[in-house]
Amino acid sequence: MTDFNAIMPPDLGLRSGLQAYPAFEHWDDVVEFDPKAWPRKQENHFSLIPTVCFNCESGCGLLAYVDKATGEVRKFEGNPLHVGSQGHNCAKGPATINQTHDPQRILYPMRRKGPRGSGQWERVSWPDALADIGGRIRKAFQENRREAVMYHVGRPGHEGYIERVLRAWGVDGYNSHTSVCSASSRLGYMLWSGADRPSPDYGNAEFILLISAHLESGHYFNPHAQRIIDAMNRNGAELAVMDPRLSNTASRANYWLPTLPGSEAAVLLAMARIILRENLANREFLKTWTNWETYLQKKHPDKPVDFDTFMTCLTEDYARFTPEFAAQEAGIDATAIADIARKIAKAGSRFASHVWRAAGAGNEGGWQVARCLAFLNTLVGCIDSKGGTGLNSWVKYSPQVPLDAPAPAAWNELIWPREYPLAHYELSHLLPYLLKEGRGKLDVYFTRVFNPVWTYPDGFTWIEALTDENKIGCHVALTPTWNETAYYADYVLPMGNAGERHDVISYETHASTWVAFRQPVQREFQRRQGKPVNRTYEANPGEVWEEDEFWIDLSWAVDPDGALGIRRWFESETQPGQPLTVEEYYEYVFQRVPGLPEAAAKENQSPLEYMRRRGVFEVNREQYHRYEKAGFKTPSHKLEIYSETMEQFGWADQAVPDYIESHVHAGKRAPDQMILVPTFRLPTLIHTRSGAAKWLNEISNRNPVWLHTSDARRLGLATGDVIRVETEIGYFIDRVWVTEGIRPGVVACSHHIGRWRREQDPAANQWSANTVSIEKRGDGYFMRVLQGPRPFTSNDPDSSRVFWRDGGVHQNAALAIHTDPASGMNCWHQPVRVMKPKPGDQYGDVFADTAKSFELYKQWLDKCRRSPVQQDGKTLRRPLWLKRPHRPRDEAFYYDTNA
Amino acid sequence: MSFKCRVSSFKMKMTDLLALLDTRNRTLETGDSLTATLTPRQLLHSPAWPLQFERPLRIPMTDSAATLPKQYGFVIDNRRCIGCHACTVACKSEHDVPIGVNRTWVRYIEKGEFPDVRRHFSVMRCNHCSDAPCITICPTGALFKRKDGIVDFDTSVCVACKACTQACPYDALYIDPNTTTAQKCNFCAHRVEQNLLPSCVVVCPTTAIVAGDLNDPLSKIAQLVREQQTTVRLPEKGTGPNVHYIDGRPESLLPNVAQSAQGWMWSSQAAGVGFKAGQEHQPLPGLQALPDTTAKPVDAAARQVYDAPQKGILWGRKITSYIITKALSAGISGLTSLAALTGAAVAHPGWTFGIALVMLIITFGLLIWDLGQPKRFWMLLTRGNRKSWLVRGAYVLSVFGGTTTALWLDAAGLFDLGNAARPLHLLNILASAFAASYTAFLFAQAKARDAWREPWWLAHFALHGALCGMAFFSFWGDAAAAAFSPLLLGALTISLLLLLGHGHLGYRSAESRTAHRLMHTGDQAWIFWLGVVGIGHVLPLLVITFNTSLNPFVGLMILAGQILHADQMVIQPQKLAIA
């Protein structure tokens, strides 16, 4: 018998005799008493089938309870075998069943009837949809316009799959959401270490510094939260949190530093200064593992190249970052800065830290926040140590995929414009502006679980681009649920939720490398019942497909006779002339996971069977100090305190960790402007996907603007009052939430709320969506809320019980974009004027001037520094050593300088 | 050998107890019993003792593992809770709990001033009390205690009288709109039966919820309760709650301490939930609406920023009406008998007894109509829980109905009681007095509503009967009415003195005081002062004093006063949040 109390490390009901999960041996037939019939003992039999959550990026394990009598999924619990989530989940895990049974989900492929965006749809057959879309792609390929096909993903988590497809197509068409999320932090981390994300070992840490909200929301919310809380309660670890808003994370912190947005790097450098001046740094680590010689040679060419001189110079170079200076910039207490610096030094190798989204995503120069934080990591030598901060590239597993075509020789400038040689990565938020500028057009544009009209700033510009058929020939939305972007599609193709699709997933959630398997649970159930189906859609609800099979079939539709050389990458190896099957694909993938075949053999199973049964495999755990073998993946193989790459690409002024004054810095704001922090997530929601989850919207359904008591007094406002927030491109009308939990001078509004549909759009997400009207007004667009969420009729009786009428405000539409010239990050924070409403303003109104927005785009474009690196009349687009997802061949990294 | 003490339903740390009693050197054997009387001061000085406890304690010492039955319970470790609501949603998933109601939920409190401000989270749910008031009041045994200490629930025998929602001081019960029965956390008893932990425990990312047998000294939960400072909610209610909070804060765990707002930081409520799903929601006034500063929040620095939706007023006008029709029935019948005994017989007693019976039938009708499951009303008789005053009340009304029916048959000339009439009149007077006033005992079982549990309600209910009866006879307009005048004067005076004197008698708790203040000074205080006191008491008193005749006009005023009083006393206390 498996004792899951032993597997789940924190003592749950230890010795209460109660177990967290039924023993693994019984998963094929678990008997539960029906909770509704209780106390009458009515037995229900379930098959427990592991899969992986499809809400946030954590990739937590789920166990689907498939009713053996009906084949229906009854509920989702956690998967105790999953080493990342350890059988626990956040609210979004169990709410997966809401998404599965959403009465308004899309069950059949739809094609638009009237003009794009007119809200008229008709059902279409899958073969017809595939033939049409495939034909368009084939035409583009035949006309040698491979850059006219683009795939744009919101929620990834399908390691390696789409990259393989795009390589087979020979297309540089991978676009992502990174530039509205983590581009800044990635650049900051990458310059130091050659890895773009940290992998903190919170569970063993002594001191934790978060510039993020990992106890409240993303990104690895549940896996991180459980380890941070455990370290604090079990080992007495201390937590410091930098956030101008009192997040739930900050609420748990020993030190809350409500830093003024944009000042974070200054505070971190002041901490570095204390560590240096008080001789608390790990000298041995610095001497062995940083490129300190380069630092000296470049910064102090007149000085002798010895380590002591380096330490002296370094200390002097950062002397200007006094705690008093930082405290002044950040508006916080200088003693707290010193206290934390000393505690970080004391924790030494057991210092775990993270910056994700937050300050990085908010500010121009936010990438230096990550760089300065990594500077602290380096000073105390906690890199990849037990309880320290590792690198994702050592922890996350990247699968080997079958039938892998060579990398394309193409470079798509709609995704990687040449102005941004250091971007991390795709300039995804610039797509509509680049199209507007006439830099290209798209024949076929796939959005996959991606909703920029609502999630991105300046959504009206996205609507403009999506409705212009000259810019986008065909927009295909691959999504489990209707959304604001899908309203402007030509095809809306229903894709599976967590229990309705195959994906292989691996994330650096902690000091362990794991691979997890998302699978269509009803398909797996039928297989276990001895009635296997050939395709996932045969077992899924309605005609819901999974993307894996979609891309295989679409590739066949693109190249039906194999003439384009594409079809061969999607043909079965065992049955030539037949399409590749997902079984073959994952058999190949799992056969190559180190240690998995051996583990499976012990159970007399194939690796695929093992993964279908368990859903997860741990490749290794608690491996530390991996840099000792081969160094770091930087040009110097050291941690780079001085980046020659930055110097080479025109950023010599930012070659070392430094403080860049943000675009919302006091000096750049008008005296009457406040800073809007528009980025925070709620613990219960996850962008578009949670809109269909009734239990999540019941808990969170509006997004008032947080305003400090003193600001409210100054403005004569009280909780519940309507306010007008004016941005650079427009305004939104919201209500006020007066609180002590935000720094004075700063306002905050969650970007998770304010879903909408127009009256003509399909009835969907009515748990969360306002009904709105959108009209052109001058050079912009005006949105008015006609009605908040209301009870509605459906096959779920709960839809008649919606007790909230306030669906919040779509603030994102009024936000201006600001593209960081180095990282390519959209810097979210906004300088705003907060005031009482003007006559005619109504709660929920949003206006944005898209012409102004375009002007701002160009102004920020002017800040860019194009690559100065020349080679044989060609310009190097991007440092070759820097990572690029879906990387083309090296030859594509150059463009003709004179072209 | 390990020892466990049980003090009524409360637990105490063994080591501290031993230290306190200085029995460390004593050898204790299994089965030993130790009796000690502790003063409040001694208790206060025990570092393990979190809350006030003023009674002398008798502490039997036994080998717990050998003799103590299981008592499942929860520890909510607020050092670990991050307020993520996973427990809320996992519970919804396990039990398919409808939108608007919750078996478990998370309350957020924000406390302090920037930057010394923090948000605190508390998981709320059924406390699986050792002495559960919901079980006592439940008329059909739908709520019951299992051998393992879980307070479980049987939907199939619930009549949805909503009494449990008034009895539970933790607001753990709700009326489920799918089943139209009460529901609550049952510790996932169906899982426990399969040796599985409750869903909320399993899902919790930070293992902030610990479940287990509090009586097993080797269990994790018992260890936590033993070694950590823990708090239970409202121990003074005497329920013996089995949910223990580590780092429990009064502003989170006690009702009406923190300031509340209209709507929460990321949610709002615009319609009724549960039993009232879909109905327009009247926002509850909240304590800020009270002008009296003494009723303001205890902790002005604490602000409630998230909570579950409010369920609204679950005992409404049907209950108000039942109090009045019952008072009329009892008053008319009782006074008719009284008149008969004193020789001042009322005119047409056949009619008055008959009208009393009609009122009684309407009373039963209202009670059944108020049930969410009216077709199951017979379960009150077949499955009657004799501890519940709902059931006892049905017995009382039945006896009263019997005596009145007999007297009506006699008075209407349908059956001659002969010599039995006189003792039956006497019995009928007693029965009608009890019929009018037993509701005070029912309300006293509503442990969630301290305002209903004040001793003066017994007198008020009795006076309702007398006054309503006399109001009726003011319309009857004969000699009997005149005879009742001095009685009326006395009853009105006592009633008025009681109404005005509550505050001087002292309230049983702050909660009761607040509810009474709400009645006296809230936004509907004019109903109390103008309607109940002015029109219902002062005016009739003046008229009678100067006129001495009981006329229909006076009767109308008295009746109006009684109706408004019943209404205010039922409705106003329910405007306060229970938990």
Side-chain angles (χ1 to χ4, degrees), chain A residues 314-333:
Chain A
L314 192 65
T315 309
E316 280 168 13
D317 290 346
Y318 286 94
R320 65 194 160 103
F321 291 100
T322 61
E324 292 69 29
F325 166 76
Q328 172 78 25
E329 284 294 286
I332 57 168
D333 179 20

Side-chain angles (χ1 to χ4, degrees), chain A residues 37 103 491 626:
Chain A
Y491 285 97
R626 278 162 282 199

Side-chain angles (χ1 to χ4, degrees), chain B residues 321-405:
Chain B
S321 307
Y322 133 87
I323 290 172
I324 294 301
T325 56
K326 178 164 66 73
L328 277 167
S329 177
I332 296 167
S333 176
L335 286 175
T336 305
S337 283
L338 187 67
L341 286 183
T342 56
V346 300
H348 316 298
W351 277 100
T352 58
F353 279 126
I355 290 168
L357 281 178
V358 170
M359 283 295 157
L360 183 62
I361 290 163
I362 295 173
T363 302
F364 274 117
L366 283 165
L367 283 177
I368 293 168
W369 188 22
D370 193 55
L371 300 179
Q373 295 285 354
K375 286 180 190 163
R376 293 183 187 166
F377 78 93
W378 50 270
M379 286 185 178
L380 261 74
L381 302 173
T382 58
R383 302 184 46 97
N385 164 22
R386 291 191 183 151
K387 283 185 181 167
S388 165
W389 271 100
L390 270 157
V391 173
R392 290 177 181 177
Y395 296 160
V396 169
L397 291 181
S398 301
V399 170
F400 165 66
T403 56
T404 301
T405 306

Side-chain angles (χ1 to χ4, degrees), chain A residues 176-191:
Chain A
S176 73
H177 77 259
T178 308
S179 73
V180 297
C181 178
S182 56
S184 266
S185 298
R186 287 175 194 264
L187 174 60
Y189 283 116
M190 180 63 94
L191 290 175

Side-chain angles (χ1 to χ4, degrees), chain A residues 5 8 10-22 31-36 38-39 41 65 74-77 87-91 94-95 97 215-216 221-222 225-226 229-230 233-234 244-248 250-256 258 680 682-684 694-696 698-704 706 708 719 737 739-744 753 767 797-798 800-806, chain B residues 70 72 77-86 88-90 92-102 108 110 112-115 117-119 121 144 146 152-155 177-178 186-187 189-199 201-207 209-213 216 218-221 247 261-273 277-278 303-306 309:
Chain A
N5 282 336
M8 302 175 80
D11 316 313
L12 280 171
L14 211 58
R15 297 214 39 110
S16 72
L18 301 177
Q19 300 274 315
Y21 287 94
V31 181
E32 275 205 359
F33 293 125
D34 190 309
K36 287 191 167 175
W38 189 259
K41 290 184 178 175
Y65 278 62
R74 158 72 184 84
K75 63 175 172 179
F76 289 93
E77 291 193 23
H88 304 292
N89 292 91
C90 78
I97 196 71
L215 297 183
E216 176 175 72
F221 173 33
N222 165 40
Q226 42 180 277
I229 290 291
D230 214 47
N233 283 280
R234 220 173 255 261
R245 182 185 65 91
L246 181 75
S247 63
N248 289 356
S251 281
R252 283 259 78 104
N254 304 87
Y255 298 91
W256 174 38
F680 74 90
L682 304 181
T684 43
K694 58 181 180 182
W695 297 327
L696 302 178
E698 173 184 13
I699 295 169
S700 341
N701 42 58
R702 63 174 195 163
N703 58 346
W706 294 27
H708 186 258
T719 290
W737 174 257
T739 174
E740 289 293 323
I742 189 154
R743 98 159 281 116
I753 285 176
W767 310 105
D798 269 346
S800 66
R801 299 172 188 142
V802 173
F803 59 82
W804 56 98
R805 300 287 178 270
D806 183 349
Chain B
K70 264 191 180 150
Y72 278 125
D77 190 343
N78 280 341
R79 300 168 303 179
R80 285 178 164 266
C81 180
I82 54 172
C84 74
H85 304 274
T88 312
V89 174
K92 290 232 160 190
S93 171
E94 183 68 23
H95 297 276
D96 194 19
V97 179
I99 289 284
V101 286
N102 297 282
Y108 281 25
E110 206 168 272
E113 284 181 25
F114 179 87
V117 54
R118 290 290 189 275
R119 212 168 288 127
F121 318 112
F144 60 96
R146 287 160 48 103
D152 203 354
F153 188 78
D154 186 350
T155 316
N178 280 334
N186 71 341
F187 206 87
H190 66 292
R191 290 173 63 100
V192 169
E193 206 84 358
Q194 302 277 39
N195 208 32
L196 290 173
L197 285 161
S199 290
V201 178
V202 176
V203 80
C204 180
T206 55
T207 54
I209 308 173
V210 178
D213 179 10
D216 174 2
L218 297 179
S219 71
K220 173 80 183 168
I221 191 170
D247 196 15
Q262 299 290 335
W264 307 127
M265 59 196 295
W266 53 55
S267 69
S268 62
Q269 183 182 3
V273 295
R303 298 163 297 275
Q304 197 167 327
V305 295
Y306 185 82

Side-chain angles (χ1 to χ4, degrees), chain A residues 443-508:
Chain A
D443 279 24
V444 180
Y445 178 53
F446 294 97
T447 52
R448 187 266 198 181
V449 195
F450 181 55
N451 184 13
V453 169
W454 182 71
T455 319
Y456 275 43
D458 190 22
F460 293 128
T461 290
W462 279 90
I463 294 178
E464 268 181 3
L466 289 169
T467 42
D468 187 343
E469 293 183 34
N470 294 319
K471 299 276 194 291
I472 297 174
C474 180
H475 171 205
V476 182
L478 310 173
T479 172
T481 172
W482 282 103
N483 64 56
E484 290 79 349
T485 300
Y487 300 151
Y488 300 94
D490 298 291
Y491 285 97
V492 174
L493 304 181
M495 292 294 164
N497 281 305
E500 299 159 354
R501 52 186 302 123
H502 286 100
D503 289 307
V504 55
I505 296 131
S506 175
Y507 286 117
E508 65 288 359

